[in-house]
Amino acid sequence: MNKLITIDYFKRIILKNKVPNISKDNIREFTVGKNYFYELTDKQQLLVQFQIFNKLSNNIELNNAAIAFRKDLSYLHLFEPHRKNYNFIRLDIRSFFHSIQIDDIREVLKVYIPKDEYIDKKEKQSVLDAFINLVTYKIPSTSKNEKFKGKRVLPMGFQTSPIISNIVFRQLDILIQKLCSSHEIVYTRYADDMLFSSSKNRTYVHTDDFIKEIRIILSTMDFKLNEHKTLKARHTLSLNGYTIQYSDISTMKSKKKIIIHNESELHELRLSHKKTDIVKKIIHMIVTEKKEPEVILKKLFQYKINLKFIPSETLKNKYSHEQLLNKILGYRSYLISIIQFNKLYYCTQDKTIDKYIKIINDLEKIATQYRMKIEKLERKIDKEKKRIKSILMQPIDKLQFTIWEKDALSEVGYTTLNSLKGVTEKHLYGNIKGIGEVKAKNIVSIVNKELSKTKSRI
């Protein structure tokens, strides 16, 4: 077959006749929760990764069980195939990205990358090796990532990692599907989240034997389950803010649409009560209780605003409004996604949709108010910044120095009040010839008096 990734992709990042390993100098390591992420900062390497991502995404067919990181699919597609089932189980793959073996990447991707085409004329580095160097990262021994430091991984945070993970895992998806098909079990996967379900009278999905078989399949590529994240449910499954609720009343299908005699007959996909309750509490605390955003953030989300880094009340107020606005817009997006998804799959009751629309309208009113408040605070902050800047940029001839002091300061480069920030009598003795104790003290006194005017008033 035609090879997808050739030497042409790497020409811009070849150094000394090879594509080097990703340097730790080009990586920003950070954590989200307990997970370590790695952000590539080199623009040329980022561009090549982007080109490779597009090539792989557009040309390699993935298994239909894989939902994550795919065009036109969302997290809701993980749930939809299970909506009419009764027995559910979620299994989680431990350290999914960082557990993918480099040899497995090489083995799976060699079909699409020529191993007999070389970066250099001396044939020391193949295109496949160059590809591995670009899409993987050896976590340095100085990393805080204790579990994987010193190991080469497919990093969470690289643009190419999601598509590569889906390609590598495809053969396991197929094996899992075959197992599930033999037991009439539905299977979907969103990265490390594997979701299984079956009808009311098919209970094998909840057995230890089923989990054992999944564990064996995963072990063929050295994956392991996060046993403490296993979640079993009957009738109703709530997972990551979404809920599937089974209806005991059967539905009938016409050729064009589902005929529902009563909305209670609908097998429903909706937001979890926990998530909608938080949204309702936000609205109630803002509209009814008139609580400030800092109070809401602390009570509902355990936010603690560090005054050491946000020194003024106005800045703190602006920051807390921005943080709560981000939360509001996030929940609004959740609700809109359900409404849009429902238009395609009719998976949520009309009365639930009506509730969501009302909540969205309430959130949009609050968001408008918060945006106006933030803009007002920004104008206040900008005005204060200009006031402080005007004081600091005063030329020294506008300050109450003597003519001799002004001339002496100008000669050594002191031209504005800002240039005199931090000046001490010792500095003046060392820089200005002939300055006496009286003049030095006078200069420092005037500078400190003027600088005191720059103390923030907001």
Side-chain angles (χ1 to χ4, degrees), residues 46-71:
L46 278 169
L47 178 60
V48 178
Q49 280 206 0
F50 175 74
Q51 292 171 337
I52 288 174
F53 167 80
N54 282 335
K55 190 69 173 179
L56 296 178
S57 298
N58 294 330
N59 290 276
I60 298 180
E61 186 176 351
L62 301 176
N63 185 271
N64 61 4
I67 305 298
F69 322 117
R70 299 183 65 174
K71 186 179 179 182

Side-chain angles (χ1 to χ4, degrees), residues 165-415:
S165 71
N166 274 338
I167 294 169
V168 170
F169 206 87
R170 181 176 55 183
Q171 55 187 291
L172 299 191
D173 283 329
I174 293 170
L175 292 174
I176 293 170
Q177 279 183 325
K178 286 181 178 178
L179 168 66
C180 291
S181 178
S182 66
H183 295 284
E184 298 185 28
I185 293 171
V186 176
Y187 162 62
T188 54
R189 180 179 61 83
Y190 197 96
D192 56 350
D193 267 344
M194 299 187 294
L195 186 57
F196 305 89
S197 68
S198 62
S199 61
K200 196 170 186 178
N201 61 340
R202 294 283 179 176
T203 59
Y204 184 72
V205 72
H206 277 175
T207 64
D208 291 341
D209 286 344
F210 174 70
I211 297 175
K212 182 179 179 181
E213 291 197 70
I214 295 297
R215 197 182 289 119
I216 290 170
I217 292 172
L218 294 178
S219 69
T220 61
M221 281 192 169
D222 294 322
F223 290 108
K224 294 179 180 178
L225 289 178
N226 242 334
E227 305 290 350
H228 72 278
K229 287 190 175 182
T230 297
L231 176 64
K232 294 180 182 180
R234 291 182 175 84
H235 187 278
T236 302
L237 171 74
S238 288
L239 180 64
N240 296 333
Y242 295 100
T243 294
I244 305 173
Q245 187 165 323
Y246 176 82
S247 171
D248 292 307
I249 307 171
S250 61
T251 62
M252 298 182 296
K253 290 184 180 180
S254 70
K255 290 183 179 180
K256 293 185 178 180
K257 63 179 182 179
I258 300 174
I259 301 172
I260 305 292
H261 295 291
N262 186 303
E263 280 232 316
S264 64
E265 299 174 24
L266 181 66
H267 303 288
E268 189 172 39
L269 172 58
R270 55 175 170 77
L271 288 183
S272 68
H273 289 315
K274 182 178 179 181
K275 191 170 288 291
T276 53
D277 284 347
I278 291 175
V279 181
K280 290 175 183 177
K281 285 178 183 177
I282 292 173
I283 295 170
H284 179 75
M285 291 180 77
I286 292 173
V287 176
T288 306
E289 297 182 356
K290 309 296 183 186
K291 296 292 186 183
E292 289 297 316
E294 184 183 354
V295 175
I296 299 170
L297 288 167
K298 185 176 181 179
K299 184 170 182 179
L300 297 183
F301 306 104
Q302 290 74 54
Y303 266 59
K304 290 184 180 179
I305 298 175
N306 194 332
L307 294 177
K308 180 180 178 181
F309 301 105
I310 308 177
S312 80
E313 284 297 321
T314 303
L315 287 171
K316 184 176 73 169
N317 199 7
K318 175 177 175 285
Y319 175 81
S320 58
H321 273 83
E322 288 172 337
Q323 292 301 304
L324 189 53
L325 177 60
N326 289 337
K327 291 284 186 185
I328 288 167
L329 295 177
Y331 285 120
R332 174 181 172 275
S333 295
Y334 268 113
L335 292 162
I336 290 174
S337 69
I338 285 280
I339 292 171
Q340 296 298 328
F341 198 77
N342 181 62
K343 290 177 180 179
L344 298 174
Y345 296 98
Y346 188 47
C347 55
T348 310
Q349 294 183 20
D350 290 343
K351 64 180 182 181
T352 305
I353 294 296
D354 290 341
K355 289 178 184 177
Y356 290 172
I357 292 172
K358 183 182 183 305
I359 293 173
I360 288 170
N361 290 335
D362 290 341
L363 291 177
E364 287 177 346
K365 289 176 185 176
I366 293 170
T368 299
Q369 293 170 5
Y370 269 46
R371 289 190 187 99
M372 292 173 63
K373 179 68 174 180
I374 291 167
E375 288 174 3
K376 184 178 179 180
L377 292 169
E378 284 176 343
R379 288 194 295 270
K380 187 176 181 180
I381 292 166
D382 287 342
K383 185 178 179 179
E384 179 66 0
K385 284 180 179 178
K386 288 176 182 178
R387 184 190 72 82
I388 293 172
K389 184 177 180 181
S390 69
I391 294 172
L392 291 174
M393 297 312 294
Q394 290 181 93
I396 59 172
D397 60 358
K398 298 291 184 182
L399 303 176
Q400 295 177 344
F401 298 127
T402 65
I403 294 174
W404 186 92
E405 289 167 349
K406 291 176 183 178
D407 290 342
L409 289 169
S410 296
E411 284 182 11
V412 293
Y414 294 116
T415 57

Side-chain angles (χ1 to χ4, degrees), residues 7 17-18 117-125:
I7 190 174
N17 296 318
K18 69 176 183 178
E117 183 179 340
Y118 293 87
I119 296 295
D120 63 319
K121 293 180 180 179
K122 294 183 180 180
E123 299 188 351
K124 289 185 177 180
Q125 187 185 55

Side-chain angles (χ1 to χ4, degrees), residues 414-429:
Y414 294 116
T415 57
T416 65
L417 175 63
N418 192 52
S419 66
L420 285 163
K421 281 179 69 175
V423 75
T424 64
E425 293 175 32
K426 187 177 180 180
H427 285 133
L428 297 174
Y429 292 144

